[in-house]
Amino acid sequence: MARGPMEGAGGGRGVILVTGGAGYIGSHACRALSDAGYAPVVFDDLSNGHEAFVRWGPLEIGDIRDRRALDAVFARHRPVGVMHFAGLIEVGESVLHPDRFHDVNVVGSRQVIEAARQAGVRAFVFSSTCATYGAPLAASMDESHPQAPLNPYGQGKLAVEQTLEELDRQSGFRSVRLRYFNAAGADAQGRIGERHAPETHAIPLAIMAALDPSRRFTIFGDDYPTADGTAVRDYVHVDDLAEAHLKALEWLLAGGGSEVFNLGSGSGTSMVELIAAIERVSGRPLNVGRGGRREGDASSLIADASKIGRVLGWRTTKDIDQIIRSAWAWHEAELARASRS
């Protein structure tokens, strides 16, 4: 089932199929593609995405495990490239339901890859994750860091990376695998932002607690081997992530070879520091509780993203306060919209 575009730049530079394009990061990538003159076509089953986020091109509703549906979409739109975001994302859920995560994230991704190969696509950008590294063996991790995932989510992403690497060796099918750290923030114009059900990500949960004093924000684990005992993460604005996907796509379309890149700022923010930043930006105190560590969580995940800077000229442009300001504006507007409905 297809739905027509709502707004966009015309797509004179070619069609790009964006699986999971109704989701958080995928929708921001669609905006970046449209701004750059491409025509994004979203393929999404809307199980986690939002139809309202599909603003820059047509929506094709379907499941990435459905090869016939994929083949029909490739035949209808003839994309020159693919950005593959679709999949399940919650680490805790992957521990509880590993079979489901394998079915969607690994089996489904391989269906997308094979459909793209059969259609003659020459640029494939894969949304991977720092969760493929597992426990850090260095203060910051570059792309050569050993990959030993701590959870089924990371294991599935690694399996897809390995599939793409093998296909490049066997048949020259070129891809860029982007291992990003913690996506955060929202579109500056307030059109799209982070909306998950249920919400499990730290920044939106903390912002919701700041907006509603009856909510409590829980720090999971305060005995990690970090400066303040809480987990440290490298937060990247979603606009910066979208720009990296665009640069990776254009690298491949210009004839560049397969690559893997980290996407991160190179600096970490602990949970204690994150809470302080949200209180600083919002001007509101948070009701904070503490709980035990969650299974599958690493103590510290910080990127060495110097490689993509050297090769593609990408770097982050927004610090943690700027990330939180954009997220705060989005969630505050969401609350206002909900109160009016």
Side-chain angles (χ1 to χ4, degrees):
M1 186 176 95
R3 197 203 69 186
M6 295 173 60
E7 57 184 272
R13 301 181 68 187
V15 172
I16 307 299
L17 184 67
V18 184
T19 70
Y24 173 44
I25 302 173
S27 60
H28 284 81
C30 287
R31 189 216 61 229
L33 285 165
S34 180
D35 288 349
Y38 294 95
V41 172
V42 172
F43 186 86
D44 202 302
D45 66 2
L46 300 181
S47 60
N48 293 307
H50 310 282
E51 190 168 353
F53 286 9
V54 184
R55 305 172 63 97
W56 292 276
L59 168 64
E60 295 277 1
I61 298 177
D63 190 313
I64 58 172
R65 294 167 294 181
D66 185 344
R67 179 61 186 275
R68 293 178 65 181
L70 285 166
D71 287 342
V73 168
F74 275 98
R76 183 155 52 247
H77 295 283
R78 301 183 181 277
V80 298
V82 172
M83 289 186 181
H84 178 41
F85 297 93
L88 304 176
I89 64 171
E90 300 301 338
V91 169
E93 282 295 307
S94 79
V95 174
L96 295 173
H97 305 289
D99 290 351
R100 181 166 177 251
F101 269 69
H102 178 83
D103 188 36
V104 175
N105 290 8
V106 179
V107 176
S109 292
R110 287 172 177 162
Q111 294 286 7
V112 175
I113 293 165
E114 283 307 305
R117 291 181 67 210
Q118 182 173 306
V121 164
R122 47 196 187 89
F124 193 97
V125 181
F126 176 54
S127 166
S128 192
T129 172
C130 66
T132 65
Y133 293 127
L137 303 179
S140 64
M141 295 175 283
D142 67 13
E143 292 82 358
S144 67
H145 188 284
Q147 291 179 284
L150 299 176
N151 50 66
Y153 169 70
Q155 291 161 5
K157 290 289 191 177
L158 177 56
V160 178
E161 282 197 24
Q162 291 169 337
T163 296
L164 289 167
E165 291 168 8
E166 186 61 30
L167 287 172
D168 185 32
R169 285 192 292 268
Q170 290 180 358
S171 63
F173 182 72
R174 292 176 300 115
S175 65
V176 171
R177 288 94 64 202
L178 297 175
R179 297 175 187 156
Y180 35 89
F181 285 62
N182 285 58
D187 171 51
Q189 297 184 38
R191 295 165 293 184
I192 47 178
E194 191 165 9
R195 184 198 296 164
H196 302 113
E199 185 57 74
T200 61
H201 294 178
I203 288 179
L205 285 173
I207 287 174
M208 290 174 190
L211 287 167
D212 181 357
S214 69
R215 288 177 176 258
R216 172 174 287 193
F217 177 74
T218 301
I219 295 174
F220 292 102
D222 59 5
D223 59 348
Y224 285 107
T226 60
D228 60 30
T230 65
V232 172
R233 295 293 181 264
D234 186 338
Y235 293 97
V236 188
H237 197 286
V238 67
D239 284 347
D240 288 334
L241 289 180
E243 181 66 19
H245 284 77
L246 179 62
K247 284 182 177 293
L249 175 82
E250 293 187 328
W251 163 266
L252 292 169
L253 290 176
S258 293
E259 280 287 1
V260 58
F261 298 115
N262 283 343
L263 300 182
S265 69
S267 64
T269 302
S270 74
M271 288 297 104
V272 168
E273 292 168 335
L274 181 68
I275 290 166
I278 289 173
E279 291 181 334
R280 181 169 63 247
V281 168
S282 68
R284 302 186 184 191
L286 268 71
N287 178 12
V288 178
R290 293 181 181 253
R293 298 187 190 188
R294 295 179 299 190
E295 185 178 356
D297 276 352
S299 60
S300 178
L301 295 171
I302 301 174
D304 177 342
S306 56
K307 179 182 175 183
I308 192 172
R310 294 191 306 270
V311 178
L312 300 186
W314 177 89
R315 59 188 50 82
T316 57
T317 64
K318 296 176 177 65
D319 63 22
I320 191 64
D321 279 18
Q322 291 170 304
I323 289 170
I324 291 170
R325 284 191 198 100
S326 68
W328 175 265
W330 160 258
H331 287 286
E332 196 172 35
E334 281 277 278
L335 185 62
R337 284 190 287 268
S339 66
R340 292 194 298 267
S341 62

